[in-house]
Amino acid sequence: MNVDWKKEAHKRDISSVSTNAWTRKHQSCNRPLVPATQQHYLFKHKFNFSIPVLLYGRLFTQELWDQLSQQNAPYGWRGLSYQAIASTLSLLNTSANAQLFDFSVKQRLGCIRCAVVGNGGILNGSRQGLQIDSHDFVFRLNGAVIKGYEKDVGTKTSFYGFTVNTMKNSLGAYKHLGFTSVPKHQDLHYIFIPSNIRDYLMLKSAVLGVPVPEGHDKGDKPQTYFGPDTSASKFKLLHPEFINYLKERFLKSDLISKKYGYLYMPSTGALMLLTALHTCDQVSAYGFITSNYQEFSDHYYDSKKQPLVFYVNHDMHMEGNLWKNLHDAGIMNLYQR
């Protein structure tokens, strides 16, 4: 597919921006990632910047329902309640729900520079905090422990990505490290990954400001997680078609054909990094798996070195190879040491 990268760059949009992003002087990218993808013999056939990244109310049609109800979550809605999906999406009706970056941001910045911060042990002792915070936008995910690790991971958060399951598991697992709340502040946006019905129900309750009415999280109060400002503009929802496209084009693992293949999906970190690669002009990845992962602990906040755990629902080796290939192709920068 031939992509006019200048037009694509002008399509990129966000609803609100951090102070640093608004005040930084307009500058062009020295190497925007869109043309870099089109100049690469392999990745020019993989990237499709016309795929909608986010799902919002106006995209929900009977045709989309019929199509996505043929596939299981996170790639579709098979077995999920039509009413639950429809009522949730009807609330995502602002321009902020439709796109990650507003056109005015692109006009002001000229080049949107993003850092995506994983939780890998490679960041322990890295002293990358200031470099991470120098980006216009910073994506974090799951157990985004910051307190005590500011010099290594920075303090800035623009987007926090998660599934309800990974968010709640992180809050439980890392409570002893002070991770008692997901990141919160006025300019921060939350990116829901729709891994099952829990995510749609939590999102709907968050926008309405009411407890979750049913299911696994019945009675949960979303403001406990996301703070008192739970207006619709705070939330983004990854499009199941986008997640499926990422799986098919970038991370179609052999695990899919194995015994537990039905559990397979790209990791939260992979989904956040690939989201940034489809919306930002320049992307740097920190705390992601590298070829020498054995030298580092599983997480940067581990008190003792722990080996990286390979779960059956993710293909971390495949993800690591992808990050290295994208780095070598000059499409993104992967922090390595």
Side-chain angles (χ1 to χ4, degrees):
M1 183 188 73
N2 294 321
V3 175
D4 185 332
W5 65 267
K6 291 184 179 180
K7 289 183 180 179
E8 287 298 332
H10 282 291
K11 289 180 183 177
R12 296 201 178 142
D13 291 282
I14 202 178
S15 48
S16 81
V17 196
S18 68
T19 302
N20 287 347
W22 278 112
T23 56
R24 183 169 65 77
K25 292 182 179 180
H26 185 283
Q27 64 183 43
S28 59
C29 293
N30 55 15
R31 190 178 186 191
L33 69 84
V34 173
T37 66
Q38 297 308 295
Q39 293 163 10
H40 192 270
Y41 74 98
L42 174 64
F43 287 115
K44 68 180 179 181
H45 300 297
K46 290 186 177 292
F47 277 87
N48 180 356
F49 293 99
S50 68
I51 297 288
V53 174
L54 301 178
L55 179 59
Y56 62 103
R58 288 182 60 185
L59 295 184
F60 184 68
T61 62
Q62 185 63 46
E63 181 181 3
L64 186 65
W65 169 261
D66 292 341
Q67 176 186 337
L68 293 186
S69 60
Q70 303 303 308
Q71 296 194 71
N72 294 326
Y75 315 113
W77 297 325
R78 179 184 288 164
L80 304 187
S81 161
Y82 176 92
Q83 178 58 32
I85 302 298
S87 59
T88 298
L89 295 181
S90 70
L91 299 172
L92 302 182
N93 53 16
T94 74
S95 60
N97 304 128
Q99 47 211 0
L100 213 61
F101 299 104
D102 188 86
F103 179 62
S104 62
V105 176
K106 179 63 184 178
Q107 285 185 310
R108 288 177 180 269
L109 298 181
C111 177
I112 297 176
R113 298 176 298 112
C114 299
V116 186
V117 185
N119 302 322
I122 193 173
L123 285 177
N124 189 290
S126 67
R127 296 300 186 261
Q128 292 298 301
L130 290 178
Q131 184 64 32
I132 289 170
D133 286 347
S134 72
H135 291 77
D136 300 311
F137 299 95
V138 178
F139 294 68
R140 298 186 193 270
L141 53 117
N142 296 343
V145 178
I146 290 177
K147 187 177 181 180
Y149 299 92
E150 295 88 349
K151 290 183 179 180
D152 291 337
V153 304
T155 61
K156 182 176 178 179
T157 306
S158 312
F159 299 98
Y160 176 73
F162 59 96
T163 70
V164 171
N165 184 59
T166 61
M167 176 187 73
K168 296 183 79 169
N169 285 346
S170 297
L171 288 169
Y174 310 122
K175 183 178 181 180
H176 67 287
L177 296 173
F179 190 68
T180 57
S181 170
V182 301
K184 296 188 186 84
H185 63 74
Q186 182 179 355
D187 294 332
L188 187 146
H189 290 79
Y190 298 101
I191 302 177
F192 274 77
I193 299 170
S195 64
N196 58 46
I197 195 64
R198 294 176 68 184
D199 301 287
Y200 293 100
L201 293 175
M202 180 68 76
L203 177 51
K204 176 182 177 181
S205 293
V207 175
L208 293 175
V210 300
V212 178
E214 60 181 298
H216 189 86
D217 306 296
K218 182 178 181 179
D220 264 13
K221 296 179 179 179
Q223 59 266 35
T224 302
Y225 306 110
F226 311 118
D229 176 15
T230 56
S231 59
S233 61
K234 292 283 289 183
F235 303 104
K236 319 283 185 180
L237 177 67
L238 288 192
H239 200 308
E241 283 189 326
F242 178 66
I243 300 174
N244 188 61
Y245 148 77
L246 296 181
K247 182 254 296 180
E248 290 293 320
R249 293 283 186 95
F250 297 94
L251 292 168
K252 193 167 186 179
S253 171
D254 290 339
L255 292 177
I256 296 172
S257 61
K258 306 293 184 181
K259 180 178 179 180
Y260 298 103
Y262 65 94
L263 295 173
Y264 175 77
M265 66 179 286
S267 70
T268 305
L271 293 175
M272 287 300 97
L273 182 47
L274 286 164
T275 293
L277 285 165
H278 283 77
T279 51
C280 305
D281 294 310
Q282 289 185 342
V283 174
S284 296
Y286 300 84
F288 282 78
I289 187 171
T290 56
S291 58
N292 61 337
Y293 68 88
Q294 299 98 330
E295 297 178 20
F296 310 104
S297 191
D298 192 357
H299 304 107
Y300 62 81
Y301 39 77
D302 292 334
S303 57
K304 295 181 180 179
K305 185 177 179 181
Q306 303 289 337
L308 178 62
V309 178
F310 293 89
Y311 295 103
V312 295
N313 59 329
H314 303 314
D315 191 335
M316 301 304 293
H317 288 294
M318 188 177 195
E319 292 183 8
N321 288 334
L322 176 61
W323 312 144
K324 183 180 186 304
N325 291 337
L326 287 165
H327 174 87
D328 291 346
I331 294 169
M332 74 171 200
N333 181 63
L334 175 66
Y335 174 70
Q336 303 173 80
R337 55 191 284 213

